[in-house]
Amino acid sequence: MSTTTVTGENFQQIIEAEGITLLDFWAEWCGPCKRFAPVFENAAENHPDHTFGKIDTEENQDLAGALQIQSIPTLMIFRDGVLVFREAGALPAKALDDVIAQVEALDMEDVRRQIAEAEKNGGAES
């Protein structure tokens, strides 16, 4: 499976979809982004059951700003509409595979319970 181009127009629809969605925030001028791109593309090929999206931060500055992207590449992973991972920097292939495996193993009922607890407690970690 190849990657999907994500923009401000389709962002919400893509992240709210059921399943796992990985988003790569990048820019053409970014050297680490160029090094991470083939790792991300390869992961997309190896995990066709997940959605892999690329967001050009130059073409989507409003979206990048709203998501407080301060360093690129930044990887965000959503599962069933919930942000479960966010990290700036180019991950090596093994690290990306490890993160994907961890996201696949998440108990989303437990994740939602923890989020509800945190919100009930005024946003404090429980």
Side-chain angles (χ1 to χ4, degrees):
M1 174 180 187
S2 61
T3 60
T4 301
T5 299
V6 179
T7 65
E9 288 77 42
N10 65 1
F11 174 79
Q12 206 64 37
Q13 176 186 357
I14 288 173
I15 67 163
E16 290 176 352
E18 191 173 312
I20 297 173
T21 301
L22 297 90
L23 300 178
D24 173 23
F25 292 81
W26 66 282
E28 183 63 38
W29 51 263
C30 169
C33 298
K34 289 182 180 184
R35 287 190 294 279
F36 181 60
V39 171
F40 192 75
E41 295 281 342
N42 191 46
E45 294 296 326
N46 292 335
H47 299 276
D49 49 331
H50 303 325
T51 300
F52 286 75
K54 295 184 69 70
I55 300 172
D56 183 336
T57 57
E58 290 295 311
E59 292 181 9
N60 297 280
Q61 291 182 17
D62 289 346
L63 180 59
L67 295 170
Q68 301 176 347
I69 302 299
Q70 298 176 354
S71 180
I72 52 174
T74 290
L75 176 66
M76 295 176 82
I77 304 177
F78 294 83
R79 179 156 172 202
D80 300 334
V82 177
L83 176 64
V84 294
F85 181 85
R86 176 186 176 130
E87 186 170 315
L91 293 175
K94 172 113 176 66
L96 180 55
D97 285 340
D98 288 346
V99 168
I100 292 170
Q102 290 174 42
V103 170
E104 289 171 340
L106 284 174
D107 176 345
M108 289 308 291
E109 286 184 30
D110 187 48
V111 169
R112 285 188 183 86
R113 184 192 54 74
Q114 290 178 33
I115 291 169
E117 265 309 299
E119 288 173 353
K120 187 174 80 176
N121 294 328
E125 296 271 332
S126 55

